C-alpha cells in the first residue's frame, strides 16, 4: 500500500508563495500519474493540478493557471506544487493523490486511488 505524505503548508500573506511536497513510499512512483486537490471549509474537494508519469504533460484548474506549477522528481519519489501569487481564496487543505493510469491526467477525485493526509494552506489578506 503506497503512502503519500504532504508537507510545506503554512500561513502566508496574500501575494506570497509556498511550495508543497508530496513524498511517496514504494518503488513504483514513476508508474503513476499524480495530482493535487484542495478542499476549503464547507466546499467540495476540487482539482488543482495534475501531471503524467514523466511530468511531460500537465493540467491545471483555471483558477490557478499561471500561478501554480506542478512538477515531479521520480528519483526522489516526490511531486511538488509551487504556488505563487497566493490569494485568500486559495486557503484550503491541499491533498496529493495517485492515479493508477500513468498516461491520463485525471481531474476527478474518484479516478485517484491513494491520498495523502493533507496539508493546510492559509492565505491572509
Amino acid at each position: 500500500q503506497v503512502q503519500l505524505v504532504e508537507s510545506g503548508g503554512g500561513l502566508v500573506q496574500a501575494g506570497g508563495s509556498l511550495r508543497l511536497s508530496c513524498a511517496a513510499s514504494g518503488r513504483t512512483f514513476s508508474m503513476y500519474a499524480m495530482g493535487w486537490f484542495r478542499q476549503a471549509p464547507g466546499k467540495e474537494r476540487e482539482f488543482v493540478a495534475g501531471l503524467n508519469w514523466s511530468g511531460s504533460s500537465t493540467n491545471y484548474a483555471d483558477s490557478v493557471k499561471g500561478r501554480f506549477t506542478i512538477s515531479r522528481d521520480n528519483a526522489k519519489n516526490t511531486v511538488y506544487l509551487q504556488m505563487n501569487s497566493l490569494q485568500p481564496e486559495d486557503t484550503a487543505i491541499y491533498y496529493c493523490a495517485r492515479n493508477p493510469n500513468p498516461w491520463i491526467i485525471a481531474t476527478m477525485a474518484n479516478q485517484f486511488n491513494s491520498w495523502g493526509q493533507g496539508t493546510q494552506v492559509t492565505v491572509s489578506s
Side-chain angles (χ1 to χ4, degrees):
Q1 182 75 8
V2 68
Q3 283 191 319
L4 302 174
V5 180
E6 301 96 336
S7 61
L11 174 63
V12 64
Q13 289 188 332
S17 298
L18 284 174
R19 188 195 196 201
L20 305 183
S21 299
C22 172
S25 63
R27 294 182 289 179
T28 60
F29 177 73
S30 62
M31 296 173 61
Y32 301 98
M34 298 293 294
W36 285 96
F37 286 73
R38 66 186 181 187
Q39 188 166 18
K43 294 188 177 182
E44 292 189 354
R45 191 169 298 190
E46 64 174 358
F47 171 79
V48 174
L51 76 176
N52 67 349
W53 70 275
S54 66
S56 61
S57 294
T58 59
N59 190 22
Y60 298 92
D62 288 342
S63 58
V64 307
K65 205 169 290 184
R67 299 188 298 124
F68 290 11
T69 302
I70 187 171
S71 62
R72 67 190 296 163
D73 186 337
N74 286 342
K76 295 182 178 179
N77 280 15
T78 302
V79 62
Y80 305 97
L81 186 68
Q82 177 67 44
M83 305 185 296
N84 298 329
S85 301
L86 283 161
Q87 299 302 315
E89 52 266 34
D90 295 317
T91 295
I93 299 175
Y94 283 71
Y95 300 89
C96 72
R98 187 187 76 172
N99 174 10
N101 188 320
W103 302 104
I104 293 179
I105 304 174
T107 61
M108 303 295 291
N110 60 13
Q111 295 175 288
F112 293 79
N113 63 359
S114 294
W115 294 82
Q117 83 290 348
T119 185
Q120 176 71 48
V121 171
T122 304
V123 185
S124 63
S125 57

